């Protein structure tokens, strides 16, 4: 999931940048979604190279103001200066070239058409036929901005990225984009999605059994025989929190048990509980508990 992958290399080549941090997830089965952080600290990077056309969309959210020029399908497109939080949608079937005039920092999400069709099917709607937004334009979208910013720590340390969390954010972004930019109108029977007690027990047991390993949203949904979209909503409704959050708390509780009842070093506890390394474990523990795991262990062991 955390390797740059084809999309990360391709976008870096088009922007003439070193390979940027990229996360690739399959929150939607058979539909890879990627997010790449693109940044340049100086003005005048210049003209991007065209990308081979495909049935997919790029969703860019600016993390700082940016000014440039844009050509789509060989024609110059009017492009206003973009603000921080501005979101633009690009149809990758159309040749797109940009003149990167100012410094920039943005997140670019890669959404293939198959992902959009999957979201539509999961919510019981017809395929939207793509995403619609003014070419070259942008609009402030607090949802996309917040979802993108939540992935910045994972992009900073992709080797320690929590697969289930990245899946959850990618799925949420896909649903939002289809509803806000694809005119998706899911049919509803008025009933809230729910898990049966058996499904809830089974999926919790599966996560408990894999505290030290990665687990994806797709895998958990398949345990319950549900679509990712339905499962994520049903789990949150039954448990009061999304799956990634429940798993994180279970890992931290397991870590507390090991800190008290074992002689394992902090690095060994980290690996036994599914954290990439001791640094990742310490940051997560401190953020949740308020102190480092070493200090917590000393306090509780007297």
């Amino acid at each position: 999931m955390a390797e740059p992958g084809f999309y990360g290399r391709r976008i870096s080549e088009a922007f003439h940048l070193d390979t940027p941090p990229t996360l690739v997830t399959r929150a939607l089965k058979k539909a890879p979604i990627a997010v790449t952080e693109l940044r340049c600290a100086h003005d005048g990077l210049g003209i991007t190279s065209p990308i081979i056309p495909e049935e997919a969309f790029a969703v860019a959210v600016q993390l700082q103001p940016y000014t440039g020029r844009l050509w789509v399908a060989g024609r110059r497109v009017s492009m206003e200066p973009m603000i921080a939080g501005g979101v633009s949608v690009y149809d990758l079937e159309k040749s797109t070239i940009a003149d990167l005039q100012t410094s920039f920092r943005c997140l670019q999400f890669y959404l293939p058409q198959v992902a959009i069709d999957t979201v539509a099917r999961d919510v019981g709607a017809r395929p939207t036929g793509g995403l619609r937004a003014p070419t070259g334009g942008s609009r402030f979208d607090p949802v996309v901005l917040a979802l993108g910013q939540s992935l910045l720590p994972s992009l900073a340390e992709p080797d320690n990225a929590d697969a289930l969390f990245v899946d959850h954010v990618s799925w949420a972004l896909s649903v939002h984009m289809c509803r806000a930019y694809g005119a998706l109108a899911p049919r509803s029977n008025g009933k809230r999605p729910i898990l049966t007690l058996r499904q809830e027990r089974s999926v919790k047991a599966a996560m408990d059994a894999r505290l030290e390993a990665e687990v994806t949203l797709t895998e958990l949904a398949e345990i319950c025989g549900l679509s990712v979209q339905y499962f994520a909503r049903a789990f949150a409704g039954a448990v009061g929190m999304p799956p990634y959050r429940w798993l994180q708390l279970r890992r931290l509780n397991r870590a507390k048990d090991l800190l008290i009842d074992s002689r394992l070093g902090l690095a060994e506890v980290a690996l036994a509980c599914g954290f990439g390394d001791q640094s990742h474990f310490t940051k997560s523990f401190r953020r949740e508990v308020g102190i480092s795991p070493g200090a917590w262990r000393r306090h509780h062991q007297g």
Side-chain angles (χ1 to χ4, degrees):
M1 177 205 67
E3 71 274 16
F6 174 68
Y7 181 74
R9 292 192 298 272
R10 184 176 59 175
I11 197 69
S12 66
E13 291 170 357
F15 277 70
H16 313 300
L17 298 170
D18 293 335
T19 302
T22 298
L23 299 169
V24 181
T25 175
R26 289 186 180 272
L28 300 172
K29 192 174 182 181
K30 298 181 180 180
I33 299 169
V35 57
T36 301
E37 182 180 4
L38 298 170
R39 65 165 72 192
C40 180
H42 60 82
D43 295 344
L45 185 59
I47 306 294
T48 62
S49 300
I51 296 176
I52 298 174
E54 65 171 303
E55 282 190 294
F57 295 84
V59 179
V61 55
Q62 304 298 325
L63 300 180
Q64 68 179 52
Y66 160 75
T67 300
R69 296 186 297 172
L70 186 70
W71 289 263
V72 177
R75 294 185 177 183
R76 172 79 181 274
V77 174
S78 176
M79 188 174 184
E80 298 179 356
M82 296 187 179
I83 62 171
V87 172
S88 304
V89 178
Y90 302 96
D91 185 346
L92 296 182
E93 282 197 294
K94 301 176 182 178
S95 174
T96 302
I97 297 175
D99 179 7
L100 306 169
Q101 296 181 322
T102 66
S103 63
F104 59 87
R105 185 186 181 201
C106 72
L107 295 177
Q108 192 158 129
F109 292 90
Y110 166 79
L111 287 177
Q113 180 65 48
V114 64
I116 296 168
D117 293 342
T118 299
V119 169
R121 183 173 62 252
D122 283 352
V123 299
R126 294 179 179 177
T128 66
L131 305 178
R132 302 172 184 84
T135 303
S138 69
R139 77 184 200 193
F140 180 74
D141 190 321
V143 175
V144 177
L145 179 60
L147 290 172
Q149 288 176 326
S150 74
L151 290 175
L152 290 176
S154 298
L155 285 161
E157 297 183 88
D159 290 338
N160 291 328
D162 186 314
L164 190 55
F165 175 72
V166 176
D167 280 355
H168 181 84
V169 175
S170 300
W171 164 77
L173 176 97
S174 301
V175 174
H176 172 74
M177 291 303 301
C178 288
R179 288 180 173 169
Y181 299 84
L184 185 66
R187 295 188 294 271
S188 174
N189 58 11
K191 297 181 180 179
R192 295 178 59 186
I194 58 172
L195 293 180
T196 65
L197 184 58
R198 182 175 181 178
Q199 287 172 325
E200 183 179 340
R201 287 174 175 170
S202 295
V203 76
K204 285 181 176 179
M207 285 192 279
D208 266 334
R210 296 179 59 181
L211 291 182
E212 79 289 352
E214 284 194 348
V215 60
T216 68
L217 203 57
T218 298
E219 291 172 323
L220 298 180
E222 288 179 343
I223 289 171
C224 298
L226 302 172
S227 71
V228 168
Q229 194 268 353
Y230 189 98
F231 167 74
R233 292 176 61 202
F235 186 96
V239 181
M241 64 184 74
Y244 78 85
R245 176 65 175 158
W246 188 90
L247 182 59
Q248 180 186 50
L249 294 178
R250 294 292 288 182
R251 284 173 168 161
L252 289 171
N253 286 336
R254 173 61 175 158
K256 289 178 180 179
D257 290 340
L258 292 177
L259 289 172
I260 293 176
D261 300 330
S262 78
R263 295 183 180 181
L264 295 177
L266 295 183
E268 293 173 300
V269 172
L271 294 177
C273 297
F275 297 96
D277 55 28
Q278 183 176 334
S279 175
H280 182 217
F281 170 49
T282 298
K283 289 178 182 178
S284 299
F285 194 97
R286 187 188 297 275
R287 184 168 56 246
E288 191 67 37
V289 182
I291 60 175
S292 70
W296 190 91
R297 168 181 261 177
R298 290 190 294 272
H299 175 76
H300 285 81
Q301 288 186 335

